Amino acid sequence: MSRRKRQNIHLLSKMCFTPLTIMVYLAFIASGPRRIEAALSCTDSTECMALYHPNSRCVKNSCSNPFSSGCLSNMNTTTAAQNDVHFESVRVCNSDDPPHALEKGLCRLSKFNYTELRINVGNWETTAFYAWVAQILLSELLDVPVSLEIGHGIDSSKPTLNFYDEENSFPYATTAYDYASLREGNRLSDCLSTNDTSVPCSHAIMEVWNGQTSLLASENTAGHIEPAEGNGMVGKLGWYVPSFVIERHPEVSSFWGLQNQREKMASMFKRPYTWEKYCQLLSPTNCSSSFYDGVARRWPETDAERGVYYKSQLYTGHFADTAKNNCTANPTTCSGHIVDAPCSWSTNLEQQAFWNDIYLESDGPNEPNDSYSYGQMIQVLRAANETKSNIIMWWWKPDGLVLEFAGSDAELHPVTLPPASEICVAKRVGPGVNGRCSSDISVRRGTKAGSCDNDHHALKKVVCSRLYSDTYDVSPPRRSPAYDFIKSIQVTDLEMEDMLKHWALRGVDKYGYDGRDAVCTWVRDNLDDLQRFIPRGYPRTLDGRNRYKESYMYAAMAMGIVALIVVFSTTFVTYHQRDTRILRLANVQFLILMLIGFSFVSLGAILFATQPSLVSCTMRQWLVTIGYTLGLVPLVVKVGAINKLVRSARKMKRVVLSRKYLFQVVLSIVTIAIIYLIAWSIVDAPTRTEEWNLSEKDLDFITVNVDCSSRYQFWVYITLAWEFMLCLSACVLSVQARKVAQEFNESHLLFALAFSHFAFLSMRAVTQILSSTGSASVRAAVASFLLSSDVLAAISIYFIPKFIIIAKKKPTALKKVTISGMSGVSGASDFSQGGSEAFQSEAGGRRAVILSEANARAKEIQPAAAPSNSKRQVRWVTGWSKNGQSAPSPRLSLSKTTFPQHHQKKEEDSDESSISCNNDIESSEESSHDTQQSQHELKLERVQDDSQSQVDRIIPGTGSLTQKNKVSCET
């Protein structure tokens, strides 16, 4: 016998330790370990490279799996099909991988973040091979993580059937069909989403035989699974005998030669003995190692060995009569022996034998039908072949063992039973504890109507019902191909037999590497044909370019930096020239607030040009919203104060405006914006999102738009509406301020500034509305450009003209400001040129109050037809305060002064206008009949009062409603 053959037999014998449990309560039977030790021992890697694969290495005295990082990328031969199909050099990780697999580079994370598909595997080889085919194609071509469920959930402490297992493990599942795991997968959707991953969970079973028809129907009715579909194979269950038995007894190939042959069956088909039972009862030497009895070379040393029926080179197996074979002692109950499968399989052997008067019974260790586990069935068959003992057994095709013995005297041939019919199939005993696994033998035997042969039938595959909705509820770019692939894949009998034949004949590591080599080789050789099962538009290519590193993004960032530098420069110049007349009139503090806002907007423009993250996405909105608020609110407050002053002065109402009040208004509005942003950040903070889009030309190409967004878009629209409201307010107030004389305000600049903000904000709003189209990076770049341009435009409109005036001629200290109104006395203040220092003296901090008594309303200021000698009393009181302390309010004596209508220039030292300012003086004013031909003027002069404080004195005139009245303020 060749070395390879001996090694093959030795490895096959190790498989015999694996029991097959029936249902849940048979999962813990003590017939041997459920894992087949598949590791091939080695001393150096050259042995592994020679026996396994060039990529195999000797690790801890065992040859490693050369396919641990992938099958297709590690095959030596490259087929034409591989040149047409793109696959990664490293496969996708799955939950069965050890923790270090990713660190060692054996696998990678899925680029598409597909949910892992978990396939339930039965306890026989073809279902494992089928699952491996799906695992290879999904993990290496379609980027879908796939793991295999064999009955213990996701437990790293237990062996796995993972194709990529480094140790080439080949454990058998604890049960044939684990419908409970399908129900769990249907409940969870993602088997990794639960804390208790030890509970079996799966989404699909790739091979189901026709004995499960009733269970499939009930699971489908309950909504746990979809209707079963064919998997491409045709199966044949039944009774089988080896060729050497048929040569001796040709009649056993048909039920006609088996019927009513009790004594013949009892004498022909003896019962197998375990190693321990043989040594105890039959061995003439008691299995002494000193004397080989031709069957056992020694006594079994372990619990596993005690229960085996065959052990290569150590125990050949033995068949002998028992009391059940003794027809003399038991003429009505004696029987021959037949090897039956676990009741959880699709076996109806008891029903077929009983109702066809075939006196054969199984005598295995597993209840309730005295069956044998899958490994024990193989042991019994090998023992019969080794000893050439008569054997008849329940088996199936396609199967690797059938192919292994094909062409030899142990080739398995089916036994013909009464032909199958639809009625017979319908009358067969069904699965479960109320059928084939019942403890009542009469239930297991059923009725005669279901005792026919098993027909050839299409094998099925099933998937949990939730897999469809979980797949198609996802947008097409992110949709996993797993469902469509599992539903479409087909493997025929001949294709499965190719894999089984390769596995059976390789003979190096049968229950370890050989099966993996057989499946991987078949996939590689048939990859071109397997492409028909790949869904349209797959495998997909993900556009891995970082679009935030494109040249236009760098340009946008550069422009944002330029805008920030310009703001800082403007701030420096403003502070440096803060004592100049034009900046003092504009109120330096408000200008600084505006510049702080512009700096925030510039920083936001820079962030828009950077890679989105949780922090940057939130900071974008904060900086831009607060920046625009600080940039626009001072304008609104300033223009509103000017308009309020003018309106109140016309009506001779008291006006109280202080710097503190104006700053409080600004702070209150900014606080509202901050509260809103805090609520946004807590409830639905903008964060980094990826928007995937399928290419219109290539359905397998995905572009990724990385953007910032919240779950609800109304947050963004509220901020835009807030900015629009501020811009609109500034525009309206600026238009209203245009009615005030240009000497006092700069409404044209304010309007231009507000309109500029409005224009850029409108473009930003359009960009936001079109956020569902185009590239996110392009939209971000456009937003960045718009923000930077807005800041630069604002600086150019409002600040540059002031700096030009300062550069041309350095202004002197403030001397005179004129407030013009349409009629009446409009008021007096140094609040001109749009300045926001409301009635502020050079010492600062003082407040001016213009008070008009009730009897000094507009009708008393306006001229009326009256005798030239009539007199009217008009009292004006103006007072200043320092640090909130009120100063004495001098009473001003008003006298009429008439100028020609064309006279526009104020004469600071005019003798015609006289006023005395003290605390006790009142003077009268005489009316003039010729008031429509005169221009009237109020002049404020700052003088020293009795308390050595500076006060203003006002010189009013009278005039027509249609003529302009001017108030000149000297400091």
Side-chain angles (χ1 to χ4, degrees):
M1 184 181 293
S2 66
R3 176 177 179 271
R4 173 171 290 188
K5 184 66 175 177
R6 288 196 305 271
Q7 190 176 35
N8 184 24
I9 295 175
H10 173 70
L11 292 170
L12 285 173
S13 68
K14 292 184 177 181
M15 175 185 171
C16 302
F17 297 156
T18 305
L20 181 63
T21 58
I22 52 176
M23 307 302 287
V24 176
Y25 62 88
L26 294 177
F28 302 100
I29 60 174
S31 59
R34 291 192 296 274
R35 179 182 181 182
I36 292 179
E37 299 296 336
L40 186 66
S41 60
C42 60
T43 56
D44 59 64
S45 296
T46 56
E47 299 178 40
C48 300
M49 295 171 67
L51 292 174
Y52 273 14
H53 187 277
N55 291 337
S56 180
R57 297 293 181 268
C58 187
V59 180
K60 297 180 181 180
N61 297 323
S62 298
C63 292
S64 66
N65 182 1
F67 305 135
S68 57
S69 63
C71 159
L72 299 176
S73 60
N74 285 288
M75 294 304 294
N76 291 330
T77 305
T78 301
T79 64
Q82 284 178 304
N83 293 328
D84 295 334
V85 178
H86 172 75
F87 53 86
E88 300 289 342
S89 58
V90 178
R91 47 91 183 183
V92 174
C93 297
N94 62 69
S95 58
D96 286 338
D97 287 321
H100 64 264
L102 182 62
E103 299 173 3
K104 292 175 63 176
L106 297 178
C107 62
R108 59 179 174 82
L109 299 177
S110 173
K111 295 182 295 185
F112 303 96
N113 297 318
Y114 293 142
T115 301
E116 180 177 277
L117 179 74
R118 197 159 174 82
I119 300 176
N120 183 268
V121 181
N123 44 16
W124 63 96
E125 287 86 4
T126 55
T127 181
F129 285 9
Y130 208 128
W132 279 350
V133 171
Q135 187 176 29
I136 291 172
L137 294 175
L138 285 169
S139 298
E140 301 182 32
L141 288 184
L142 298 177
D143 221 70
V144 179
V146 179
S147 59
L148 307 184
E149 176 62 69
I150 58 174
H152 55 61
I154 303 170
D155 190 343
S156 59
S157 65
K158 296 181 180 180
T160 70
L161 194 59
N162 185 12
F163 176 85
Y164 308 104
D165 183 73
E166 291 183 272
E167 300 178 359
N168 292 300
S169 296
F170 201 108
Y172 282 82
T174 58
T175 187
Y177 303 101
D178 193 354
Y179 297 108
S181 72
L182 281 178
R183 290 193 290 270
E184 183 71 4
N186 194 59
R187 182 182 72 86
L188 293 176
S189 179
D190 183 359
C191 291
L192 304 181
S193 63
T194 178
N195 294 327
D196 187 8
T197 56
S198 63
V199 177
C201 177
S202 62
H203 303 103
I205 300 177
M206 302 305 295
E207 184 179 322
V208 182
W209 293 66
N210 68 347
Q212 305 297 310
T213 303
S214 59
L215 276 179
L216 293 178
S218 63
E219 292 292 327
N220 175 246
T221 302
H224 300 145
I225 63 173
E226 292 185 358
E229 296 182 358
N231 72 353
M233 293 194 293
V234 176
K236 176 64 171 72
L237 302 171
W239 298 11
Y240 288 83
V241 293
S243 293
F244 62 81
V245 176
I246 295 178
E247 289 177 2
R248 297 172 189 167
H249 307 281
E251 68 276 8
V252 301
S253 61
S254 171
F255 76 99
W256 296 110
L258 301 174
Q259 279 183 324
N260 299 311
Q261 302 287 331
R262 185 183 295 274
E263 292 185 3
K264 182 178 180 179
M265 295 298 102
S267 62
M268 183 184 299
F269 298 107
K270 304 180 185 302
R271 283 168 168 79
Y273 277 65
T274 63
W275 191 351
E276 181 181 47
K277 188 177 180 181
Y278 167 78
C279 293
Q280 290 175 342
L281 303 178
L282 301 177
S283 175
T285 63
N286 202 29
C287 295
S288 171
S289 59
S290 302
F291 302 96
Y292 176 49
D293 61 4
V295 178
R297 292 190 176 275
R298 59 173 173 79
W299 186 272
E301 298 175 348
T302 64
D303 291 339
E305 288 183 343
R306 294 186 185 99
V308 301
Y309 293 90
Y310 174 82
K311 182 76 171 180
S312 177
Q313 301 180 5
L314 293 176
Y315 178 59
T316 62
H318 188 77
F319 294 80
D321 290 333
T322 66
K324 294 181 179 180
N325 294 87
N326 190 346
C327 291
T328 302
N330 304 293
T332 59
T333 59
C334 66
S335 63
H337 180 260
I338 186 171
V339 180
D340 197 4
C343 68
S344 61
W345 290 20
S346 301
T347 174
N348 291 96
L349 187 148
E350 289 183 304
Q351 186 178 18
Q352 292 167 332
F354 179 79
W355 292 106
N356 286 299
D357 298 321
I358 301 173
Y359 303 111
L360 295 173
E361 294 178 337
S362 182
D363 201 23
N366 303 324
E367 296 179 349
N369 63 334
D370 298 327
S371 63
Y372 296 85
S373 69
Y374 177 56
Q376 291 168 340
M377 294 173 74
I378 296 176
Q379 293 172 20
V380 173
L381 178 58
R382 292 194 182 281
N385 185 45
E386 184 83 6
T387 60
K388 300 304 177 184
S389 301
N390 292 333
I391 185 175
I392 185 170
M393 65 189 306
W394 186 93
W395 205 252
W396 67 92
K397 290 182 179 180
D399 178 69
L401 200 63
V402 175
L403 295 174
E404 179 183 344
F405 291 136
S408 69
D409 62 351
E411 182 176 355
L412 295 176
H413 297 275
V415 175
T416 303
L417 295 175
S421 66
E422 291 186 6
I423 296 177
C424 177
V425 172
K427 295 294 183 179
R428 284 178 183 157
V429 178
V433 295
N434 296 321
R436 294 190 295 265
C437 290
S438 173
S439 58
D440 186 350
I441 190 172
S442 63
V443 174
R444 299 199 303 269
R445 287 174 176 174
T447 63
K448 184 176 178 59
S451 62
C452 62
D453 198 356
N454 297 88
D455 60 329
H456 289 79
H457 64 278
L459 304 186
K460 305 291 186 179
K461 59 186 175 185
V462 294
V463 298
C464 64
S465 57
R466 188 171 174 178
L467 190 59
Y468 173 85
S469 59
D470 289 341
T471 299
Y472 282 90
D473 286 347
V474 178
S475 62
R478 292 183 177 271
R479 185 173 297 161
S480 170
Y483 174 81
D484 291 329
F485 174 81
I486 291 297
K487 295 286 284 185
S488 64
I489 187 172
Q490 302 278 306
V491 177
T492 66
D493 292 3
L494 295 177
E495 292 170 336
M496 182 59 70
E497 287 179 357
D498 284 345
M499 289 182 268
L500 294 172
K501 187 179 296 183
H502 182 113
W503 170 61
L505 298 180
R506 192 172 191 278
V508 175
D509 183 9
K510 190 172 184 65
Y511 293 98
Y513 170 73
D514 288 1
R516 290 173 168 84
D517 182 77
V519 173
C520 184
T521 300
W522 182 83
V523 171
R524 177 204 65 188
D525 294 341
N526 295 274
L527 190 57
D528 52 347
D529 185 59
L530 290 170
Q531 291 184 63
R532 61 194 173 99
F533 304 124
I534 296 176
R536 183 172 178 263
Y538 297 89
R540 286 178 170 170
T541 302
L542 189 64
D543 185 5
R545 291 179 298 171
N546 187 346
R547 297 185 179 274
Y548 282 85
K549 292 186 178 180
E550 299 286 348
S551 57
Y552 56 82
M553 297 304 298
Y554 289 117
M557 184 182 296
M559 189 169 180
I561 294 173
V562 169
L564 185 62
I565 293 174
V566 170
V567 172
F568 286 161
S569 302
T570 304
T571 305
F572 174 78
V573 174
T574 301
Y575 182 79
H576 184 69
Q577 300 291 338
R578 64 187 181 278
D579 292 329
T580 58
R581 176 177 180 272
I582 190 170
L583 294 184
R584 288 183 59 217
L585 288 175
N587 193 317
V588 175
Q589 289 85 352
F590 270 28
L591 295 181
I592 295 298
L593 282 179
M594 293 173 61
L595 291 170
I596 292 175
F598 293 159
S599 66
F600 284 177
V601 175
S602 300
L603 289 173
I606 295 173
L607 288 181
F608 266 94
T610 60
Q611 186 80 16
S613 65
L614 176 61
V615 175
S616 66
C617 288
T618 304
M619 290 304 298
R620 282 183 185 182
Q621 300 299 333
W622 275 76
L623 290 172
V624 173
T625 304
I626 298 298
Y628 268 106
T629 303
L630 286 174
L632 292 173
V633 168
L635 287 176
V636 174
V637 172
K638 176 191 292 187
V639 178
I642 294 173
N643 292 344
K644 181 177 182 181
L645 172 64
V646 172
R647 290 195 303 271
S648 299
R650 288 174 184 163
K651 298 178 181 180
M652 299 305 297
K653 291 183 178 180
R654 174 177 294 193
V655 179
V656 180
L657 296 174
S658 67
R659 184 194 313 176
K660 180 180 179 181
Y661 168 75
L662 297 178
F663 276 104
Q664 286 177 345
V665 173
V666 174
L667 180 60
S668 300
I669 298 176
V670 173
T671 301
I672 293 173
I674 292 175
I675 292 174
Y676 171 78
L677 291 171
I678 291 174
W680 183 3
S681 300
I682 294 176
V683 176
D684 188 14
T687 186
R688 182 182 187 273
T689 59
E690 291 186 357
E691 179 187 0
W692 291 19
N693 298 298
L694 285 173
S695 172
E696 296 181 358
K697 296 181 179 179
D698 301 318
L699 292 179
D700 59 352
F701 187 80
I702 295 178
T703 59
V704 180
N705 287 329
V706 181
D707 202 358
C708 293
S709 65
S710 299
R711 292 192 307 272
Y712 305 104
Q713 291 300 311
F714 68 81
W715 298 99
V716 178
Y717 292 119
I718 290 177
T719 59
L720 291 175
W722 169 261
E723 295 171 19
F724 269 118
M725 182 186 69
L726 295 178
C727 286
L728 186 62
S729 300
C731 289
V732 171
L733 292 174
S734 298
V735 171
Q736 293 177 353
R738 292 172 66 87
K739 298 179 182 180
V740 181
Q742 295 301 314
E743 296 92 335
F744 182 78
N745 71 83
E746 46 188 12
S747 59
H748 59 292
L749 292 180
L750 299 180
F751 181 81
L753 182 59
F755 183 80
S756 172
H757 281 316
F758 187 87
F760 284 108
L761 183 58
S762 299
M763 288 185 281
R764 284 176 50 221
V766 172
T767 303
Q768 179 63 35
I769 294 172
L770 299 178
S771 60
S772 60
T773 60
S775 171
S777 60
V778 173
R779 294 196 301 269
V782 171
S784 179
F785 279 120
L786 290 175
L787 291 171
S788 301
S789 301
D790 196 358
V791 171
L792 294 175
I795 297 294
S796 301
I797 292 172
Y798 193 76
F799 287 90
I800 298 301
K802 298 181 186 302
F803 296 161
I804 293 175
I805 294 174
I806 293 173
K808 288 182 177 179
K809 180 179 180 181
K810 186 174 182 180
T812 59
L814 179 65
K815 289 186 176 181
K816 184 185 297 184
V817 177
T818 300
I819 303 176
S820 299
M822 292 302 297
S823 65
V825 178
S826 60
S829 170
D830 60 353
F831 207 81
S832 66
Q833 293 287 29
S836 60
E837 290 190 3
F839 303 94
Q840 177 178 306
S841 70
E842 291 181 348
R846 290 195 293 264
R847 182 178 62 180
V849 179
I850 298 179
L851 174 63
S852 161
E853 292 186 351
N855 64 349
R857 297 293 180 177
K859 64 181 181 178
E860 302 209 31
I861 298 300
Q862 298 169 0
S868 61
N869 59 352
S870 65
K871 297 181 181 289
R872 284 174 295 187
Q873 298 293 325
V874 180
R875 293 180 61 196
W876 288 78
V877 180
T878 178
W880 296 88
S881 66
K882 292 183 178 180
N883 301 324
Q885 300 296 325
S886 299
S889 299
R891 298 173 182 174
L892 305 183
S893 175
L894 306 182
S895 61
K896 171 184 170 186
T897 304
T898 303
F899 295 93
Q901 186 171 359
H902 65 272
H903 183 68
Q904 301 297 329
K905 184 177 179 181
K906 308 293 183 297
E907 299 293 342
E908 295 185 11
D909 300 323
S910 174
D911 294 331
E912 298 181 49
S913 301
S914 63
I915 183 168
S916 61
C917 181
N918 55 61
N919 292 332
D920 300 310
I921 297 178
E922 289 189 7
S923 64
S924 62
E925 173 189 4
E926 293 189 4
S927 301
S928 172
H929 294 285
D930 193 17
T931 57
Q932 294 184 358
Q933 302 299 321
S934 63
Q935 177 93 6
H936 308 283
E937 185 177 273
L938 287 175
K939 180 182 291 185
L940 273 70
E941 294 180 354
R942 190 153 290 164
V943 298
Q944 298 293 325
D945 64 0
D946 296 339
S947 62
Q948 301 302 314
S949 299
Q950 288 185 343
V951 299
D952 290 342
R953 61 185 182 180
I954 306 176
I955 303 176
T958 61
S960 170
L961 286 171
T962 61
Q963 294 182 356
K964 292 186 178 180
N965 300 302
K966 298 185 178 180
V967 179
S968 297
C969 306
E970 281 192 358
T971 61

